[in-house]
Every structure is written in C-alpha cells, then in structure tokens.
Amino acid sequence: DAMVIQNPRYQVTQFGKPVTLSCSQTLNHNVMYWYQQKSSQAPKLLFHYYDKDFNNEADTPDNFQSRRPNTSFCFLDIRSPGLGDAAMYLCATSRDLSTDVFYEQYFGPGTRLTVT
Amino acid sequence: AQKITQTQPGMFVQEKEAVTLDCTYDTSDQSYGLFWYKQPSSGEMIFLIYQGSYDEQNATEGRYSLNFQKARKSANLVISASQLGDSAMYFCAMISTGENKLVFGAGTILRVKS
C-alpha cells in the first residue's frame, strides 16, 4: 500500500511556465518535506512543514513555493522553471520532530521534472 | 555543522557475499541519529536502518546491520548475502538536535555481480 504518493511521476514543462507537483500521505505524519535531487547527487532539502508551520531552507530560491492545505497534502510550486530546475523532486514525511527521538523519513517515488 | 562522508563512489560485490559500505560523520551534538537509505534506479528512497547515538547495540534489520563505532564516528552499513536486487545507490544520513534535518552523504553505488 502506497504511503507517500507523488503525482505526476513525470512532468514536462516549458521554460518559464509555472508547474505544481503534488504529494499526499496516508501516514498522518506531522512533518512533510520537499527535496530536489539532481543526477548522481544527494537529495537537497528545499523546505519542510511541521504541521502548518513552514520552514524554508536559507538557500532555496524564491522561485520555489509550497502549500500544505491539510495534513495529508503538500504541493510544490515552481513559479518560473528554468533549465537548471530539471531534477527529481522527492516528497517525504516523518512522524514528528523531536530533540529526543529521531524518526525516519518515508519518501515518495518522486516526480521527475523536465524543462524544455 | 554536520557532515557525512562516504568515501566509496562505487562498489562491486559478488552475489551471496557480504559487503560493507563506509560512512563517517562529524557533529558536535551528543544526541543524533544515523540512517541508511537505498535508492534504486527507479528513484524512490527506501529506509533501511537506523542507529541512535545512545544505542549501545548495533542496529540490525534482516540482512542489513550497522557497524556503529562512536569513538571513530563511523556508521558502516553491512549487507550480508548480497542479492542482485541490492544493486542501487546507498546514502548515509544523519540528523541531530542541533540541526533538525537530514544531512546526506554523497552516496555509494553498489553493483551486485552474478
């Protein structure tokens, strides 16, 4: 049973044309993350939501935005995609954030974005 | 700042043999967690195993075990009885109280030969 679902799996967009990637989860986890992963590199955290609190990484470009309308769903909006934004975008969830217990992150299958 | 180092860009192993993937880490925090993830060519990141900094026993999950040497700041992944399906990229990652997000190493590509 899929626990973290990402749609679409493959997305092609044109240079400068806004695109939205979606993520949903059935785990009822408090935390949702968006990562960008380029070929042969480690995932790079863009931002995360702890419940409704949004946390942006300092080096995430303004071109990337996110929305979390409810516990289950989280969206990644790329306002004006450039060629350099072509990558795999991974959504992940974790049960909670704690200073005492470290919970594993569950990842979705990813959306591979192509910019033409 | 936290740092994860995986010094092996690529590894080969014969089917049914054991293989060790190296991971060293650097942190000034006393409380932290170490994770290993597997990423097949399909792209999904699959959680394999977790080790907490205060755990006295090495973590094991089926064919996966984590060789945790705290004094050396190493957290090597051992895969026993390798299978062809183990061919993938493997990432070591950590999270700590001081930096509450996963920090990944560069990854090691493992190829299992038949």
Side-chain angles (χ1 to χ4, degrees), chain A residues 9-10 33 35 37 40-43 45 48 57 88 90 97-110 112, chain B residues 31-33 35 37 39 41-47 50 52-53 89 91 95-97 100-102 104-107 109:
Chain A
R9 295 291 309 277
Y10 301 91
Y33 305 83
Y35 290 87
Q37 186 180 26
S40 302
Q41 296 182 18
L45 182 64
H48 75 272
E57 292 299 300
M88 174 76 89
L90 295 166
L97 288 176
S98 167
T99 57
D100 298 323
V101 180
F102 302 107
Y103 298 101
E104 64 267 31
Q105 294 185 16
Y106 293 89
F107 285 78
R112 192 171 296 280
Chain B
S31 179
Y32 51 88
F35 301 82
Y37 284 87
Q39 188 175 38
S41 57
S42 59
E44 184 174 359
M45 296 279 280
I46 302 167
F47 165 71
Y50 165 79
S53 58
M89 175 74 94
F91 288 102
I95 190 168
S96 71
T97 54
N100 207 348
K101 64 179 182 180
L102 266 183
F104 287 89
I109 298 175

Side-chain angles (χ1 to χ4, degrees), chain A residues 38-51:
Chain A
K38 297 191 175 179
S39 183
S40 302
Q41 296 182 18
K44 177 182 180 297
L45 182 64
L46 296 174
F47 24 61
H48 75 272
Y49 273 95
Y50 179 53
D51 198 8

Side-chain angles (χ1 to χ4, degrees), chain A residues 64-108:
Chain A
F64 292 88
Q65 303 287 322
S66 186
R67 297 169 283 136
R68 189 179 186 186
N70 53 52
T71 300
S72 300
F73 285 87
C74 195
F75 300 97
L76 171 62
D77 301 308
I78 308 176
R79 294 192 296 187
S80 182
L83 297 178
D85 296 329
M88 174 76 89
Y89 289 87
L90 295 166
C91 174
T93 74
S94 70
R95 183 175 164 185
D96 208 335
L97 288 176
S98 167
T99 57
D100 298 323
V101 180
F102 302 107
Y103 298 101
E104 64 267 31
Q105 294 185 16
Y106 293 89
F107 285 78

Side-chain angles (χ1 to χ4, degrees), chain B residues 48-51 57-66:
Chain B
L48 296 178
I49 197 166
Y50 165 79
Q51 179 85 41
Q57 302 281 343
N58 284 346
T60 60
E61 289 286 348
R63 294 187 299 110
Y64 304 108
S65 60
L66 201 152

Side-chain angles (χ1 to χ4, degrees), chain A residues 24-39:
Chain A
S24 63
Q25 54 133 338
T26 60
L27 298 163
N28 204 33
H29 282 175
N30 286 332
V31 194
M32 295 188 77
Y33 305 83
W34 279 105
Y35 290 87
Q36 179 193 64
Q37 186 180 26
K38 297 191 175 179
S39 183

